[in-house]
Amino acid sequence: MAVDMYQTGVSGLLAAQSQLATTGHNIANVNTEGFSRQRAEQMTTLQMYSGGQFYGTGTRVTDVTRMYQEYAFKDVLINNTEKAGAEALYNHLSYLDKSMTNANQGIATSLDDLYGAINAVVDNPGNLGNRELMLANANDIVSHFNEYYSALEQEMTIKNRDIESRAEHVTSITAGIAELNQQIMNSGLNGTPNDLPDQRDRLIQELGQEVQLTTIKDNNGMISVMLGGREPLVSGNQAYGMEVRPGSPDPQQTELYLTSPNNPDQATRIKGSQALGGEMGALFHYRDQVLGPNLSDMGKTAIAIADAFNQVQAQGVDL
């Protein structure tokens, strides 16, 4: 029999060495964020025919695979996006509620004081002190309205800056994913680069905190990332940029655009907070559906109060 017993034993030792190396790698990265456990896959080597029988010649490691479930990853990605958006919107609303409480109470108190001063003037129209008090209370209301407006306007400015900062962050993440796609495709020619997909998945999860994603994997191992399943963010090794532009007709209502990597002048506008999802979508919802209407309602209230007083004043006489 021509079976090399020494070579058979060596093959087992080499396979065990690969298994130990893989196990050691798993243990060393137990605290590494986004790391997927790896496993060395073994199979028998080619058999040898001798004397009417087939004899085994040992074993070999065929591949080192990731213990990874694509369906579970996508499910977690969707849930994390929804969770991040809900938490971000809650934090924005909680901050607005706390910061605006004093301003709201000041307006309500000032209105009560003004109505009391008006009643005093009505009861004694010739008392100049009552007139001065009423005018002082009116100025107090104006101050509170201006304070409330300034606070909301400042909050709008802060959120616009936050949107711009997040757009730059999204652009940097998509560039990182595209670069890893290229590295994975290049490395895949010589084997399975298990650690690179882990790094890419970590970036995809980070991107999923910002916006709602859909991922598509091709035969080369590269992943294309779509914003909400429609607009491309990453296509193979090409990354799309996200930028902020002044809104129309209101420049303060800044808008998001996706720019093509091959033609930066070509841009696609992203419409609506629901198309974004995640923390970015929550930010747009807060700015457009909460801050904007609050500013408008406050202005309407101030105009209504002023108009009502002007109409009453026009019916009376001065000193």
Side-chain angles (χ1 to χ4, degrees), residues 164-175:
E164 186 173 356
S165 174
R166 288 180 180 274
E168 294 174 356
H169 183 53
V170 167
T171 300
S172 67
I173 295 176
T174 56

Side-chain angles (χ1 to χ4, degrees), residues 93 152 161-162 218 249 255 261 285:
L93 294 175
L152 288 179
R161 291 175 182 171
D162 195 6
D218 63 17
E255 299 171 347
H285 178 84

Side-chain angles (χ1 to χ4, degrees), residues 193-213:
N194 293 310
D195 293 329
L196 292 179
D198 284 344
Q199 297 176 27
R200 183 179 60 187
D201 285 351
R202 188 164 64 250
L203 286 180
I204 292 175
Q205 287 182 329
E206 186 177 351
L207 184 60
Q209 298 282 329
E210 298 289 343
V211 293
Q212 181 181 359
L213 304 177

Side-chain angles (χ1 to χ4, degrees), residues 19-309:
Q19 293 282 4
L20 288 173
T22 303
T23 301
H25 184 62
N26 290 335
I27 295 173
N29 288 278
V30 66
N31 293 320
T32 301
E33 183 180 357
F35 177 78
S36 297
R37 186 169 64 89
Q38 300 175 13
R39 182 176 65 188
E41 306 291 348
Q42 280 186 233
M43 67 176 297
T44 57
T45 55
L46 292 176
Q47 295 178 335
M48 179 176 292
Y49 183 77
S50 178
Q53 300 293 331
F54 286 94
Y55 294 93
T57 59
T59 184
R60 64 188 178 93
V61 174
T62 58
D63 197 5
V64 179
T65 59
R66 298 167 69 210
M67 306 304 292
Y68 171 80
Q69 293 183 348
E70 185 174 355
Y71 173 80
F73 174 78
K74 290 184 176 181
D75 190 50
V76 170
L77 182 64
I78 293 173
N79 292 332
N80 285 345
T81 302
E82 294 177 353
K83 178 176 179 289
E87 287 181 345
L89 183 59
Y90 171 79
N91 291 334
H92 294 321
L93 294 175
S94 297
Y95 173 79
L96 182 66
D97 180 61
K98 293 177 181 178
S99 61
M100 294 294 103
T101 297
N102 292 334
N104 290 332
Q105 291 177 349
I107 292 176
T109 302
S110 296
L111 284 172
D112 290 338
D113 293 342
L114 179 61
Y115 292 145
I118 292 173
N119 290 330
V121 171
V122 172
D123 293 338
N124 188 1
N127 190 322
L128 296 180
N130 289 342
R131 288 173 177 267
E132 293 296 332
L133 180 61
M134 188 189 78
L135 292 175
N137 287 330
N139 286 328
D140 192 34
I141 288 180
V142 172
S143 298
H144 281 295
F145 267 103
N146 287 334
E147 178 186 350
Y148 187 74
Y149 178 84
S150 297
L152 288 179
E153 194 176 43
Q154 183 180 12
E155 181 73 356
M156 181 79 75
T157 301
I158 292 173
K159 296 312 173 188
N160 281 335
R161 291 175 182 171
D162 195 6
I163 289 173
E164 186 173 356
S165 174
R166 288 180 180 274
E168 294 174 356
H169 183 53
V170 167
T171 300
S172 67
I173 295 176
T174 56
I177 294 173
E179 182 179 353
L180 284 170
N181 272 339
Q182 184 64 50
Q183 293 179 20
I184 289 170
M185 186 183 70
N186 295 339
S187 302
L189 300 176
N190 302 315
T192 304
N194 293 310
D195 293 329
L196 292 179
D198 284 344
Q199 297 176 27
R200 183 179 60 187
D201 285 351
R202 188 164 64 250
L203 286 180
I204 292 175
Q205 287 182 329
E206 186 177 351
L207 184 60
Q209 298 282 329
E210 298 289 343
V211 293
Q212 181 181 359
L213 304 177
T214 301
T215 58
I216 303 173
K217 189 174 183 179
D218 63 17
N219 295 329
N220 295 323
M222 294 194 293
I223 286 182
S224 295
V225 182
M226 310 288 288
L227 175 61
R230 291 179 296 275
E231 304 296 339
L233 288 174
V234 179
S235 179
N237 59 359
Q238 298 291 318
Y240 286 72
M242 181 178 287
E243 66 178 37
V244 176
R245 298 183 181 180
S248 177
D250 183 6
Q252 295 298 321
Q253 296 288 105
T254 54
E255 299 171 347
L256 282 180
Y257 285 81
L258 288 177
T259 58
S260 171
N262 299 321
N263 186 5
D265 295 332
Q266 181 181 354
T268 303
R269 181 191 169 199
I270 304 172
K271 300 179 180 179
S273 60
Q274 292 186 355
L276 289 168
E279 295 182 1
M280 184 79 83
L283 191 55
F284 267 86
H285 178 84
Y286 173 69
R287 189 196 69 177
D288 297 340
Q289 306 299 324
V290 178
L291 289 180
N294 267 276
L295 278 168
S296 177
D297 291 343
M298 185 205 65
K300 293 175 182 177
T301 302
I303 291 173
I305 293 174
D307 184 63
F309 272 89

